[in-house]
Amino acid sequence: MNRTSLKILLLPRWYPNRLDPQLGVFIQKHARAIARLHEVKVFHAMSDKDTNTYIEEVIERNGELTEHLYYFRPGNGLFKTIVNGWRYWMCWRMFRRHTRLFCKNGFQPDISHAYIVIRTALIARWLRL
């Protein structure tokens, strides 16, 4: 049986990270299972008050699975939500540049899958448009 390998972009709200290695472990297991047959990239960004830089990027590769984890310094004060949203967006832009998302010779996903719908769904919807 001939199977066509797909390029899949996963956009989870929960994903195992250095602050909580159990958060969304079921999503990571799902990504690993999919990566047996397809090329999978995971984008996950979260705030971390202990990060040393404005935005820290951690990339982990395991076969056809590539996990892009971003940690950004959280905002505080009256505009915390807006600042965190902006920093999340900056992480997304870094991911796009790094993977050359939608560039001619870059990563062009056949499927974008958002888990735990909130901000990840906004990105998935934007990709759809």
Side-chain angles (χ1 to χ4, degrees), residues 16-58:
N17 58 72
R18 67 180 175 214
L19 301 176
D20 188 352
Q22 290 299 309
L23 182 68
V25 74
F26 58 94
I27 297 171
Q28 186 179 47
K29 288 181 180 182
H30 184 216
R32 287 178 179 166
I34 295 169
R36 290 181 184 158
L37 299 173
H38 305 287
E39 181 181 354
V40 179
K41 292 199 185 297
V42 177
F43 167 77
H44 177 67
M46 64 175 298
S47 65
D48 178 5
K49 63 182 168 104
D50 295 327
T51 188
N52 295 328
T53 60
Y54 178 69
I55 295 175
E56 181 182 347
E57 178 182 40
V58 177

Side-chain angles (χ1 to χ4, degrees), residues 57-96:
E57 178 182 40
V58 177
I59 300 172
E60 297 179 13
R61 290 182 178 84
N62 184 4
E64 291 297 313
L65 173 63
T66 307
E67 301 167 325
H68 294 262
L69 306 176
Y70 294 86
Y71 301 94
F72 58 88
R73 198 174 302 145
N76 52 22
L78 184 62
F79 300 104
K80 177 181 178 178
T81 303
I82 294 169
V83 169
N84 286 346
W86 176 256
R87 291 180 181 167
Y88 185 87
W89 180 252
M90 296 308 293
C91 293
W92 171 250
R93 289 185 58 196
M94 285 177 67
F95 171 74
R96 284 186 50 206

Side-chain angles (χ1 to χ4, degrees), residues 11-14 26-27 114-121:
L11 303 165
R13 174 69 174 103
W14 301 333
F26 58 94
I27 297 171
Y115 295 88
I116 321 302
V117 184
I118 302 241
R119 58 183 133 169
T120 59

